[in-house]
Amino acid sequence: MVSKAYSSKLPALGTFSKALVYLNAALFSILLIPWLLRWIKYRNEPLLRNDAHSDDDSGR
């Protein structure tokens, strides 16, 4: 967003800002798929681990 705002002073920043937006969207999409699959495939393991550790914190 900042690079888009400064593109009026430096025209090369307009192209750079568009590239950054597309790169950000691509990385988000690429990383979203494995992150969601991890939660779908291994749904019970994080819940069981959190329950086991909650008993260890009884002194707090």
Side-chain angles (χ1 to χ4, degrees), residues 33-46:
I33 294 168
W35 186 78
L36 286 176
L37 288 176
R38 176 189 64 156
W39 282 104
I40 293 169
K41 188 173 180 182
Y42 302 108
R43 186 179 348 175
N44 292 331
E45 281 82 2

Side-chain angles (χ1 to χ4, degrees), residues 3-8 10-23:
S3 59
K4 184 69 173 170
Y6 282 118
S7 67
S8 62
L10 290 170
L13 285 179
T15 305
F16 183 67
S17 68
K18 288 179 186 177
L20 283 179
V21 167
Y22 291 128
L23 177 66

